[in-house]
Amino acid sequence: MRFYLYVTLTATGSILFLYLNFAFVFLRSDTLSKTAALELAVFALQVGKVSVLGAVKRLRTLNFITVVDILGAELAALLPLLALDFVLTGSASVLGLMNQVFLGWTAGVIVAGVPFGIYRLAKSMASRGKLTVVLPSALVLSELAVLLLMGADELSSSGGGLGNLARDVLLGSSGIVGQGYYKADIPTLLVFVFLYISLILYALVPGEMPRRRFIGVLSLALFATLVTYGVAYAASQISVALVFFVLPSTLIASGTLWWTTHGV
């Protein structure tokens, strides 16, 4: 159906636009040359593994848990050994190695995983995947793309290696850093408008939903929009991270939407 094709292209194209902006800034920076050798090696390994997953047709369809197991092999193998070494030797340098492994792995999985996730999202939307899969996936991928872009912008002005990029993404996603809002330009804001509208249209599934339910879900979507805008504006007026305002309302809206659509 053409509707699903247009909505899929709009949603995934919006996230891809954000990621390409990050890639442009990242490739112009001097980040890789300022990264420790071990950190860079772990990062490159993750990029290589995700590239293989994307290139081999049979591997592209692996379930999420299997992909996580493949990508997390280094953490499961190296971190326990390094932790044991630290217990036995007490060497502070081992803690530095553990930090490099974790940050290199985090940067590699996020940088390489976002485009792979966009592909999986596009495939799911085109095949009319469940809302409980499509909506969270789109939100997480767009959030990661923005955090990568913010981290790359920070690196381009202050310098630093992949570890700094990983820290910016982790701290930004937890709400520990920042003033509760994103400093975004007009194109970035427009991208999120297109993404939001496309996800709303995908959720409503015009032509395949009873009139009464269509009106109910549309009303819920409009109400959630007003609530989200309200809490975002309120958070911008005080110095509290936006995540502490948005998380409760997001959980309530997501739970209500899931209950209304019965997880369809």
Side-chain angles (χ1 to χ4, degrees):
M1 186 177 179
R2 288 186 177 181
F3 166 78
Y4 285 97
L5 176 61
Y6 295 149
V7 170
T8 298
L9 290 176
T10 303
T12 56
S14 299
I15 304 174
L16 183 61
F17 177 83
L18 295 173
Y19 184 81
L20 291 178
N21 275 351
F22 152 73
F24 177 75
V25 177
F26 179 74
L27 293 176
R28 291 184 59 187
S29 67
D30 201 23
T31 302
L32 297 181
S33 65
K34 299 177 181 178
T35 302
L38 178 59
E39 206 170 274
L40 186 60
V42 175
F43 171 84
L45 184 57
Q46 307 316 308
V47 174
K49 287 194 292 187
V50 174
S51 299
V52 172
L53 289 174
V56 180
K57 184 177 181 180
R58 182 176 298 179
L59 299 180
R60 287 200 296 266
T61 59
L62 290 175
N63 61 64
F64 179 74
I65 299 300
T66 303
V67 173
V68 170
D69 289 340
I70 293 174
L71 296 180
E74 288 74 28
L75 293 184
L78 293 178
L79 290 184
L81 291 177
L82 290 173
L84 179 61
D85 186 12
F86 175 75
V87 171
L88 296 176
T89 64
S91 175
S93 62
V94 177
L95 294 178
L97 294 177
M98 294 175 66
N99 188 56
Q100 290 179 26
V101 170
F102 176 74
L103 292 178
W105 178 86
T106 301
V109 168
I110 296 176
V111 170
V114 169
F116 182 69
I118 294 174
Y119 162 77
R120 294 283 292 259
L121 175 63
K123 186 175 180 180
S124 179
M125 292 184 69
S127 60
R128 308 184 188 185
K130 291 184 176 181
L131 291 180
T132 50
V133 174
V134 170
L135 296 186
S137 299
L139 294 177
V140 170
L141 287 172
S142 60
E143 173 77 3
L144 289 176
V146 168
L147 290 173
L148 284 173
L149 179 58
M150 294 174 62
D153 285 336
E154 180 68 21
L155 289 179
S156 64
S157 59
S158 62
L162 289 170
N164 296 82
L165 177 64
R167 289 189 188 93
D168 287 341
V169 172
L170 292 173
L171 295 178
S173 63
S174 65
I176 296 177
V177 298
Q179 299 299 318
Y181 58 89
Y182 293 137
K183 184 179 181 181
D185 52 17
I186 298 300
T188 301
L189 293 176
L190 289 177
V191 164
F192 274 100
V193 170
F194 285 123
L195 175 62
Y196 179 77
I197 293 175
S198 63
L199 292 178
I200 288 294
L201 292 176
Y202 181 86
L204 294 180
V205 196
E208 297 186 13
M209 182 178 291
R211 180 183 179 87
R212 184 176 180 180
R213 178 172 293 183
F214 179 85
I215 295 175
V217 175
L218 178 60
S219 301
L220 176 62
L222 294 176
F223 174 73
T225 301
L226 293 175
V227 171
T228 302
Y229 179 81
V231 296
Y233 179 78
S236 67
Q237 302 303 305
I238 57 178
S239 57
V240 177
L242 181 60
V243 65
F244 297 117
F245 279 88
V246 175
L247 185 58
S249 60
T250 300
L251 293 176
I252 293 173
S254 300
T256 306
L257 180 60
W258 183 89
W259 181 262
T260 302
T261 59
H262 300 286
V264 176

